[in-house]
Amino acid sequence: RGNNTMRHTVVFKSLAILALSAGMSRSEDDVTQARTVRSQGGTACQLSTPTIDTKVRAKANGYRNEGTTNAFVICGYPLPNGALTQFNINFTAIDGASYDVNCTAVNGPPWAAVYVAKSGSASSTQLNLNWNAGDFGGTAGNDMPTGYMSVTCLLPAQVGVDNVYVNYNEDVGT
């Protein structure tokens, strides 16, 4: 009888260890959560060619070109802890008029960078330009090929970059 109790205890402990280890291993049932990280334009953007002779500046409400001439700006993106699915940049005209905005995004490492241009019209209504995996040879909605990215724009006079943001999928377990 003592041996049976001991044998049952050993079997029970072995099954418990197997159950725990199965629960701790990574499975195809892992869950991802769609998330967004935003950065205000004033902290995310800078002049492509720095100069003190400009009216482009970081402000509390974005990165604004308050001057009378266009300026090239580059905006970086926050790199979250997860797989990027889309990145975006938003513009608004300071004076409410309509202005054409032209931008080129880059995704990929320096030795294999892919460039994609987009444009739109900024006015008192916010212009949102966005890029996803479909723009860089993947499938829209899926993860981006790499996390390296930035956008360079010809920022018209009287237009501001309100914010930049990324959408990504974060692994949150099972």
Side-chain angles (χ1 to χ4, degrees):
R1 213 175 189 228
N3 274 347
N4 280 342
T5 304
M6 191 167 148
R7 204 173 312 161
H8 290 297
T9 303
V10 170
V11 169
F12 177 75
K13 285 182 180 178
S14 297
L15 289 173
I17 289 170
L18 280 173
L20 275 174
S21 64
M24 292 171 62
S25 68
R26 198 165 164 87
S27 72
E28 292 179 13
D29 295 331
D30 284 351
V31 176
T32 58
Q33 180 86 41
R35 302 206 188 275
T36 301
V37 174
R38 287 183 174 78
S39 290
Q40 192 258 17
T43 60
C45 302
Q46 62 185 346
L47 289 169
S48 292
T49 306
T51 177
I52 58 170
D53 186 27
T54 183
K55 298 288 184 190
V56 182
R57 56 185 48 96
K59 301 286 255 192
N61 55 356
Y63 195 68
R64 298 164 54 113
N65 184 349
E66 298 173 339
T68 57
T69 60
N70 298 343
F72 280 101
V73 299
I74 186 166
C75 301
Y77 286 80
L79 296 176
N81 185 22
L84 299 176
T85 57
Q86 182 172 313
F87 54 102
N88 308 271
I89 186 167
N90 294 318
F91 305 88
T92 303
I94 298 166
D95 63 5
S98 183
Y99 299 92
D100 291 334
V101 177
N102 299 296
C103 298
T104 300
V106 61
N107 182 257
W111 60 90
V114 177
Y115 297 86
V116 177
K118 293 202 176 184
S119 60
S121 182
S123 63
S124 59
T125 302
Q126 191 175 65
L127 166 65
N128 175 286
L129 297 179
N130 63 70
W131 291 261
N132 62 49
D135 294 311
F136 298 97
T139 301
N142 287 349
D143 299 344
M144 291 281 202
T146 74
Y148 298 103
M149 80 210 63
S150 68
V151 174
T152 300
C153 301
L154 182 58
L155 188 65
Q158 299 302 304
V159 173
V161 177
D162 302 329
N163 58 56
V164 301
Y165 63 97
V166 296
N167 296 332
Y168 67 101
N169 291 321
E170 182 177 13
D171 181 359
V172 294
T174 54

